[in-house]
Amino acid sequence: QATVTPTATSASSSLILTAAKTTVTGVYPVNLVATGGGSTQNWPIQLTVTAASSCTLASNPASLTIVAGQSTNLQILCGNVQGGFSTALHLLVGSPPAGVVAQIITNYVVPGGQGSTIAISSYATAPPGTFSLSVNASEASTGFNQTIAIPFAITAPNTLLVEPSQNPITVQQGSSSKITVAFVHSGSF
């Protein structure tokens, strides 16, 4: 409700209409009412609430598996664009776990456009396990701020260990000797 007390034969007032983030998009009737000098005037107006400018942050692939000592890339995208949102978003990567390095190749992403690449490298000594890497996209002038958590796993490097049952082995000329050899592997082949 706004109250205006005219000091002359005419006056004006600004009225700010705000739609909450939870307001459903659509058309709403609004009735402006002016009273004064014993009379009342009604002015119906139409308020249209549109979708907020936004997009949905995602990674491609959605999750990763990295063998310790190897590297891979992933793309950060901002799709499902609403409200004509096209402002470049600044990217920031959270701290990766021990033994892993995450480097943003392009530090921004444009909604609906080509994604940004993040290079992920792991040291051979990186501990195996399941982790999460957070990526934040923000833009100050629009107030956009969204973070995603990308699940990834580190697996042990592929190793093969050969263990003979005896060492050294002695065989006489013209005869043979039997030994057992055990093969133990870790990682995946």
Side-chain angles (χ1 to χ4, degrees):
Q1 179 176 354
T3 304
V4 177
T5 306
T7 56
T9 56
S10 66
S12 66
S13 178
S14 295
L15 179 63
I16 298 172
L17 302 173
T18 304
K21 289 183 178 185
T22 56
T23 303
V24 176
T25 59
V27 178
Y28 296 88
V30 176
N31 192 35
L32 298 178
V33 179
T35 59
S39 70
T40 300
Q41 294 288 323
N42 290 296
W43 290 276
I45 62 171
Q46 181 175 299
L47 172 66
T48 302
V49 176
T50 60
S53 296
S54 69
C55 61
T56 303
L57 202 60
S59 71
N60 184 20
S63 64
L64 295 171
T65 298
I66 304 169
V67 175
Q70 295 187 359
S71 301
T72 190
N73 291 337
L74 65 86
Q75 290 284 313
I76 299 298
L77 307 160
C78 209
N80 191 24
V81 179
Q82 297 178 1
F85 195 45
S86 62
T87 305
L89 305 172
H90 176 75
L91 294 178
L92 181 65
V93 175
S95 299
V100 176
V101 175
Q103 179 183 10
I104 299 175
I105 304 302
T106 308
N107 67 348
Y108 65 90
V109 63
V110 176
Q114 191 167 3
S116 175
T117 300
I118 296 180
I120 299 177
S121 303
S122 64
Y123 296 109
T125 57
T130 303
F131 306 94
S132 181
L133 181 68
S134 67
V135 178
N136 175 266
S138 63
E139 202 287 315
S141 69
T142 62
F144 183 89
N145 190 338
Q146 196 174 109
T147 300
I148 59 170
I150 304 161
F152 74 95
I154 298 175
T155 60
N158 299 331
T159 58
L160 179 62
L161 178 62
V162 179
E163 297 177 354
S165 61
Q166 62 191 54
N167 190 10
I169 302 165
T170 304
V171 179
Q172 290 181 352
Q173 290 177 320
S175 65
S176 60
S177 180
K178 179 180 177 181
I179 65 165
T180 302
V181 180
F183 297 94
V184 179
H185 73 84
S186 65
S188 59
F189 287 93

